[in-house]
Amino acid sequence: MSDHSVQTMKYGAKPKTLKSYLTGLFLSLVFTFIAFTLIGKHLLGVEASYITLTALAVAQLFAQVICFLRLNVSQEGQWNTMPFIFTFVIVGILVGGSLWIMYNLNVNMM
Amino acid sequence: MTALSTTDHHDHHLDNDSIDVFGFWIYIMTDCILFATLFAAFAVLHTNSFTGPTLKQLISLPYVLGETMFLLASSFTYGLAMLGVYKNSRARALFWLFVTFVLGLSFVVMEVREFIHLYADGNSWHVSAAISSFFTLVGTHGTHVSIGLIWMAFMMFQLIKYGTSPAVNKRLTYLGLFWHFLDIVWIFVFTIVYLMSSI
């Protein structure tokens, strides 16, 4: 696999190597199995479950974005990473805002 | 898709291919917002099961774990296909693309079976807002995966016909972004829709 190192940055993504894919797969498997085991066997309380699940999902998001999509903060990679971050701001406003409004609506309708 | 590719000059800063792929990336990001709206709808409505069953009663976690494994494995094998493309090995690229296709198809078949099962038990989308939002979110994801599969079938034909040409290479890059993106959306589907409903 020596010629992997020759592969240069492509379309602003870091070089895709077997190692990066294997790392991504391994991390995703670990996070997935932890999540399913915790909920399947009811190992945590309600509140702790929500927090742990969110943390595991975000961890897996990072694992796949970095190892599979190869997003990065290099000069060229920023072109892809900035819209990605911007999208997450929009997603945050959209989902957070909806939940906030609907929660208040529910409380005030009681 | 018809733009002539500037072969072997990917080190050049703003070649056409890079701009094309960037454009596709922007599309992926807008798709992300589409899914965000459906997640917001699900988050608001998931407890509104009216007189019907709650989602917790309808979900089988081992089954979802199986679906997750298929999709995750397909994301990984797609990467192996791309490595084959980079090495100009058509046979390797085709083999892994085929494996990816089979894994993706298994995922879709499992999901369709789940939907048919729910429908047959009388728990279809008109029963309650919760199940309605469930079908919309999971169904939209499943539709994306199905479209990705059709696309992948076309790419396999192109690989057979044209080999690992620069144009095919670029199209496979688009599909790769799309496919990995769908697996990332699925992380949140299984976490929020399936696991959090089962707490």
Side-chain angles (χ1 to χ4, degrees):
Chain A
M1 303 281 163
S2 58
D3 48 344
H4 275 157
S5 51
V6 184
Q7 177 75 47
T8 49
M9 292 254 298
K10 203 157 186 185
Y11 310 127
K14 270 169 93 172
K16 296 178 165 81
T17 61
L18 185 62
K19 202 180 143 208
S20 77
Y21 283 123
L22 282 172
T23 315
L25 180 69
F26 174 73
L27 288 175
S28 302
L29 281 175
V30 169
F31 294 139
T32 305
F33 276 115
I34 293 176
F36 273 90
T37 312
L38 284 179
I39 303 306
K41 298 200 184 304
H42 301 286
L43 295 177
L44 290 174
V46 173
E47 205 165 306
S49 293
Y50 277 110
I51 295 168
T52 321
L53 279 180
T54 310
L56 285 168
V58 171
Q60 195 172 341
L61 166 76
F62 273 98
Q64 295 204 6
V65 163
I66 293 169
C67 296
F68 287 170
L69 286 177
R70 305 301 273 150
L71 278 193
N72 57 84
V73 288
S74 68
Q75 189 82 39
E76 208 179 334
Q78 280 182 5
W79 279 93
N80 294 329
T81 309
M82 290 317 264
F84 181 75
I85 294 167
F86 175 67
T87 305
F88 269 82
V89 174
I90 300 287
V91 168
I93 294 170
L94 206 65
V95 177
S98 300
L99 284 174
W100 186 15
I101 289 171
M102 295 312 287
Y103 173 76
N104 276 301
L105 201 65
N106 276 336
V107 168
N108 292 326
M109 289 287 276
M110 288 300 165
Chain B
M1 294 276 269
T2 53
L4 288 171
S5 25
T6 54
T7 46
D8 299 324
H9 282 288
H10 293 301
D11 51 333
H12 190 277
H13 218 62
L14 284 172
D15 60 298
N16 282 328
D17 282 3
S18 286
I19 295 171
D20 290 352
V21 172
F22 178 67
F24 192 80
W25 179 247
I26 299 292
Y27 155 68
I28 297 278
M29 291 298 98
T30 58
D31 222 17
C32 206
I33 293 170
L34 166 79
F35 277 108
T37 57
L38 295 176
F39 272 112
F42 179 82
V44 169
L45 297 172
H46 75 285
T47 49
N48 300 8
S49 51
F50 192 45
T51 53
T54 59
L55 285 172
K56 189 176 181 175
Q57 295 167 306
L58 301 175
I59 286 168
S60 158
L61 281 186
Y63 194 79
V64 179
L65 183 61
E67 285 182 81
T68 308
M69 287 302 112
F70 275 128
L71 202 60
L72 179 60
S74 83
S75 204
F76 174 68
T77 54
Y78 194 92
L80 298 183
M82 282 315 283
L83 293 181
V85 173
Y86 292 152
K87 288 194 161 193
N88 284 318
S89 164
R90 169 159 52 176
R92 242 179 78 183
L94 261 176
F95 172 73
W96 286 117
L97 216 51
F98 182 72
V99 173
T100 311
F101 185 87
V102 171
L103 289 169
L105 192 64
S106 313
F107 170 84
V108 172
V109 168
M110 278 186 90
E111 194 169 288
V112 169
R113 269 196 61 204
E114 184 192 19
F115 281 6
I116 290 174
H117 184 71
L118 284 174
Y119 186 83
D121 288 351
N123 299 315
S124 67
W125 44 87
H126 56 70
V127 170
S128 68
I131 299 178
S132 210
S133 61
F134 165 84
F135 268 104
T136 314
L137 174 54
V138 181
T140 304
H141 180 268
T143 311
H144 274 76
V145 177
S146 307
I147 292 169
L149 285 175
I150 295 168
W151 189 358
M152 205 176 291
F154 276 111
M155 287 318 299
M156 284 192 277
F157 280 118
Q158 291 197 5
L159 259 178
I160 293 168
K161 204 169 172 198
Y162 305 115
T164 52
S165 72
V168 171
N169 192 324
K170 188 169 79 172
R171 288 168 202 167
L172 282 169
T173 305
Y174 292 147
L175 180 56
L177 286 176
F178 189 67
W179 201 253
H180 292 317
F181 162 73
L182 288 179
D183 194 30
I184 289 170
V185 172
W186 182 255
I187 300 172
F188 291 94
V189 174
F190 81 70
T191 302
I192 294 170
V193 175
Y194 291 100
L195 290 176
M196 284 190 179
S197 299
S198 309
I199 288 176

